[in-house]
Amino acid sequence: MERACGECWVFVEHKDGRIKQASLELMAKGREVADGLSRELAAVVLGWNIGNVAVELARHGADKVYLVEHPLLERYQVDLYCKAVSDLASEVKPDVILFSSTRVGCELAPKVAKRLRTGMTADCLDLRVDASRGLVKQVKASFGGNVMVEVVTPFHRPQIATVKPGVATPVVKERREVVVRVTPKLDEREVKVRVVEKLETQKEDNLELAEVVVAGGRGAGEEGFRLIRRLAEILGGEIGGTRPAADEGWIPRERQIGQSGRIVSPKIYISLGASGALQHVVGFRRAGLVIAVNKDPKAPIFDHADVGVVADVKEFLEALIQELEKYLNAR
Amino acid sequence: MHVIVCVKQVPSVEEVKVDAETGRILREELPLMVNPNDRNAIEAALRLRDEVGGTVTAVSMGPPQAEEALREAMAMGVNRAVLISDPALAGSDAFVTSKVLAKAALKLAPFDLIVCGSRSADGETGIVGVQIAEELNLPQITWVLELKVEGEVVRAKRSIDGGYEIVEACLPAVVTVTRDANKPRYPTMRSIVEACRRPIERLSLKDLGLSPEEVGFKGSPTRIERVFQAERKRRATIISKPVEEAAREVALMILRELGKV
């Protein structure tokens, strides 16, 4: 087995000088793993002129920050980012590298893992530590969320995982900041995929941070989703949905809740017309109060909710909206 | 143009049964099907072929019954089907699978494009496509929604965090397509019957120049240590009242939870 230096790394994403929420959560998870293994936690951040980001990272629990700066890293590009991270990892030999399950993390982590000739686990919902064996137990849902599996990488280093956004809460933990400046060797000719045009259509939504999430399934129907949007508006919440709802185009794919979508932890999660496929259920397990409405009293969703109503989604939503409006208008 | 499309046979995850005692997935009892996302990959490959001409080869790594998945791909319209099957491959993780599929692509070379689904329905890893690209040192374009080939260049619209981008790469390249890329066609009765008569080519480990030690359980860096059922933390209290009353109760509950009453 390759000798590892023992550091636990977190790959940090940022935009416009700000660290992404997913990365802050991952820092919290990384801190747990590093402490469990009695190792140092290092944040790895790539870009150009991003010194302020490095300072911020010490506030979120990093013992060390690898500040990898190069003009070619100003914009994310998978080939160059992979090279910069892999080269640094080959030199420092960290024990663990964690990425967020963002679009960036999902394509960068497997590439880095392959280049370093090691394994990886995608879309982890939790990371546990087996300190006696020095292993990170990577917990993820499998088979459409029907079962959970624990994956380890016993004989290869580093141990690499992507972790789903929404499964940890960021913490503020002041550490002594040690910034290690790294200048990678990069060449523009290594870029294999050229970006012709960027279309930023969606504003970053607040699904992971929302207090209320109103989500619909196939049983809600297109008409139901009109009411779901109205309800979310009244409650100042965000809308979401199941995979079938996204397949039908009733919600944007980015708002799909579940194992292959987003993980949310609102105070209130309202599920309307969803059957309760585990693939979906995994997505709101950390929610506070879960209210489910389905016209089938045997729907599995009721096994995953605190309160259930057996009713037609449209009828119920109309009544609920009326009730809430009555109250809110009376104030 | 020669397009290779990677196809995986997966259990129908809607009907997964787990042994209550051992927590083991009863795979043998599950109906098998083509990984839904791979149908999008097949569809994307077929459309490219129909536009610019050439052939589409479907490749699958799996046990002998994975042949059924390839028959389905043929029924959809792929020209050739290749099955990589060897007992030594059992237990292969994504790292090994991508190595095997990359070797198969080299065996089937020359090719212009490798198309994969963005992720599988069973393992849900989304790793294999990217790692094939890395193994072959080819451009990788993930999360593809639209795909076009013009001369020696592949142009794609892909989903990124917060939007889309249009990218270009030189062929050969590897792309992974999302579920929203297209609506896969249904095979016709006639194409299904015809697909049953056509041969499926086979490749063994030896054909690929791989040793049993490099693949399967032995060659895989990752190990599944434990399979367990996710615990159910809740069991709903059912409000059995007429809709208006139930709605009133739920409304109060929501307002209370939000601290508004």
Side-chain angles (χ1 to χ4, degrees), chain A residues 167-209:
Chain A
V167 300
T169 312
V171 288
V172 176
K173 211 169 197 180
E174 206 77 42
R175 309 289 285 202
R176 196 166 44 88
E177 168 203 347
V178 180
V179 174
V180 181
R181 286 180 180 275
V182 181
T183 309
K185 286 196 191 79
L186 297 174
D187 186 333
E188 200 156 14
R189 281 168 298 182
E190 288 165 75
V191 175
K192 296 197 190 81
V193 180
R194 204 170 64 85
V195 178
V196 181
E197 198 184 340
K198 214 168 190 125
L199 312 147
E200 299 209 24
T201 51
Q202 317 124 21
K203 278 195 221 95
E204 293 227 13
D205 63 55
N206 288 317
L207 259 184
E208 279 92 4
L209 299 174

Side-chain angles (χ1 to χ4, degrees), chain A residues 203-247:
Chain A
K203 278 195 221 95
E204 293 227 13
D205 63 55
N206 288 317
L207 259 184
E208 279 92 4
L209 299 174
E211 274 209 328
V212 180
V213 174
V214 188
R218 201 197 301 273
E222 205 166 0
E223 185 62 9
F225 268 90
R226 196 182 54 80
L227 296 165
I228 284 170
R229 274 189 287 276
R230 178 78 192 114
L231 178 61
E233 211 176 291
I234 293 172
L235 297 174
E238 297 276 337
I239 62 155
T242 62
R243 183 147 69 189
D247 286 346

